[in-house]
Amino acid sequence: MTHHPAAPHAAPNPASTPTSTPTSTPTSTPTSTLGAARRPKRGGAASEWTIDATDLVKTYPAGRGKEPVRALDGLSLQVRPGEVFGLLGPNGAGKSTTVRLLTTLSRPDSGRATVAGHDVLRDPGAVRHAIGLVSQRPSSAPLMTGRESLELAARVQGLDRATARRRSGELLERFGLAPAADRLTRTYSGGMNRRLDVAIGLVNRPAVLFLDEPTTGLDPEARAQLWAEIARMASVEETTVLLTTHYLDEADHLSDRLAIVDRGRVVAQGTPDALKSELRGDRLVVELVDPTSGAAAAERLSRLPSLFDIVTEGRQVRGRTDQGAGVLPVALAELERWGVAVASATVARPSLDDVYLRHAGRTFEEVGS
Ligand SMILES: Nc1ncnc2c1ncn2[C@@H]1O[C@H](COP(=O)(O)OP(=O)(O)OP(=O)(O)O)[C@@H](O)[C@H]1O
């Protein structure tokens, strides 16, 4: 993503914002009507989904003589009202492109999508009124204070001065920024700036908030703090949240439901627990001393009846087992018998990485996220 709709510094230049800036009329979506906004009518019938995307295709030109890049290849997803929905995938999977289409910053080549009951192609203005977007780029200006950034964003969104001040104060409190409210944002830590970005995305009380890779580049403490804010915000503000991430633990921790995206398609969708429990058994990971012994180790382990789905990756051999930790001594004895030196071995419950491996045929590490 290259654009932030609520960026206060973009405000003085209306020419830079009209088609690419989701705006809203906050007075038209007060808290009391959010419930209605989140249970929109479509064709007279209440839509079950706050975001409903079907078969989205998007290609980008790749330069002279090159095949176009098929960023989205028939992507479909459905997000329920009020849930935090994670879009999980490695770099280049198509997550930002999906956000761009759903926030009307870009048009699909084909497919259709509604957000808060409005069609992104037929009624982009209504979509923009209903959403907030926190893109990967910072949205506050370094030479403004946190309070000024929020108040300006609120004014750009159409709030009157008093309401803008009140809403900004509320958000500064909620995001733990009140003590630093009157400091220039260039003195903020990465985590504080990101919390301010999210606060700015919420200034117009959007029915749907898009967060594109909200914690990328933050240290673990700042990530944990932002996770807590996002979870609290989703319940307090009653906002439906779609967040993109390439962090497995983030998707696991934050999402009520998630979609795993690979090469422009959703390859699996569900709650993190449901996705993991689809996988039978626990996961055995054996780290070998000598990476060239992977094939031999896999061959030996595949002879054990208690192990299945064995794959090798670098110096690791992975398998699945129904016998829990009981498989460890058996596997280690078998490898020792054949002279395969083992550096470490673990048995663990299935992770989202296992889910990704099952559906995409490779691990996150392999893709380089
Ligand atoms: N404007 C563009 N022009 C050409 N190719 C693009 C453009 N935007 C995205 N792409 C390509 O489309 C594919 C999907 O990109 P996208 O940014 O949606 O992925 P992503 O999952 O969000 O990854 P990241 O986390 O790196 O942003 C990639 O191959 C990317 O290089």
Side-chain angles (χ1 to χ4, degrees):
M1 295 290 296
T2 56
H3 184 82
H4 192 289
H9 52 268
N13 178 11
S16 71
T17 58
T19 53
S20 56
T21 300
T23 55
S24 84
T25 310
T27 46
S28 70
T29 52
T31 323
S32 57
T33 64
L34 277 180
R38 291 160 70 228
R39 282 187 296 280
K41 299 272 179 192
R42 197 181 51 188
S47 170
E48 189 186 346
W49 309 110
T50 297
I51 301 175
D52 188 0
T54 309
D55 286 338
L56 292 177
V57 172
K58 179 73 182 176
T59 49
Y60 293 110
R64 196 183 305 203
K66 290 193 185 147
E67 284 286 303
V69 178
R70 205 168 168 84
L72 296 187
D73 187 23
L75 180 137
S76 301
L77 58 85
Q78 284 79 32
V79 179
R80 293 199 179 102
E83 72 182 356
V84 177
F85 188 91
L87 210 52
L88 170 69
N91 291 324
K95 306 179 298 295
S96 294
T97 301
T98 305
V99 170
R100 289 183 67 79
L101 299 191
L102 295 176
T103 56
T104 77
L105 295 178
S106 173
R107 294 169 64 89
D109 302 343
S110 62
R112 58 170 195 82
T114 58
V115 175
H118 307 292
D119 190 292
V120 295
L121 286 175
R122 285 203 304 266
D123 207 355
V127 172
R128 288 177 213 148
H129 276 273
I131 65 172
L133 167 62
V134 179
S135 75
Q136 289 178 21
R137 282 201 352 195
S139 49
S140 57
L143 291 177
M144 291 175 80
T145 67
R147 190 189 308 280
E148 286 166 351
S149 303
L150 266 165
E151 286 184 4
L152 178 54
R155 297 286 282 148
V156 168
Q157 300 283 355
L159 272 73
D160 63 55
R161 196 176 296 279
T163 313
R165 195 170 300 150
R166 197 171 54 243
R167 179 71 176 149
S168 301
E170 201 178 287
L171 288 165
L172 286 163
E173 282 290 341
R174 180 157 314 148
F175 283 86
L177 293 168
D182 298 310
R183 267 171 41 199
L184 297 183
T185 61
R186 72 168 179 199
T187 69
Y188 285 14
S189 67
M192 289 164 79
N193 265 311
R194 215 53 191 137
R195 295 210 301 281
L196 180 61
D197 290 339
V198 177
I200 288 173
L202 281 172
V203 84
N204 61 330
R205 299 188 190 279
V208 189
L209 181 68
F210 291 87
L211 298 173
D212 199 9
E213 310 224 341
T215 67
T216 296
L218 297 186
D219 61 49
E221 198 183 326
R223 284 179 75 206
Q225 200 176 354
L226 192 55
W227 285 0
E229 300 294 351
I230 291 169
R232 194 164 58 212
M233 165 202 71
S235 62
V236 173
E237 299 268 335
E238 297 187 318
T239 305
T240 303
V241 177
L242 184 142
L243 75 93
T244 76
T245 182
H246 58 257
Y247 295 126
L248 294 157
D249 56 345
E250 182 160 291
D252 204 352
H253 182 90
L254 273 180
S255 314
D256 296 316
R257 290 191 316 125
L258 61 90
I260 296 181
V261 188
D262 187 52
R263 300 184 176 107
R265 299 179 69 89
V266 170
V267 293
Q269 191 170 182
T271 66
D273 282 348
L275 289 170
K276 284 183 275 187
S277 63
E278 268 173 24
L279 298 176
R280 203 181 109 211
D282 291 344
R283 168 180 47 125
L284 168 76
V285 179
V286 178
E287 187 101 22
L288 303 169
V289 172
D290 175 6
T292 63
S293 59
E299 207 266 320
R300 291 295 151 201
L301 291 178
S302 64
R303 295 180 184 200
L304 298 176
S306 49
L307 276 171
F308 52 92
D309 286 355
I310 292 165
V311 290
T312 52
E313 200 181 296
R315 60 174 71 232
Q316 271 191 3
V317 182
R318 293 161 169 246
R320 312 199 61 74
T321 179
D322 283 330
Q323 296 197 349
V327 80
L328 267 180
V330 183
L332 291 176
E334 179 71 6
L335 291 174
E336 191 178 359
R337 198 151 74 89
W338 294 95
V340 178
V342 171
S344 69
T346 53
V347 171
R349 299 292 307 148
S351 68
L352 281 182
D353 203 10
D354 299 306
V355 177
Y356 182 77
L357 173 64
R358 157 102 180 268
H359 291 283
R362 44 205 180 128
T363 64
F364 251 57
E365 241 170 61
E366 221 178 324
V367 187
S369 260

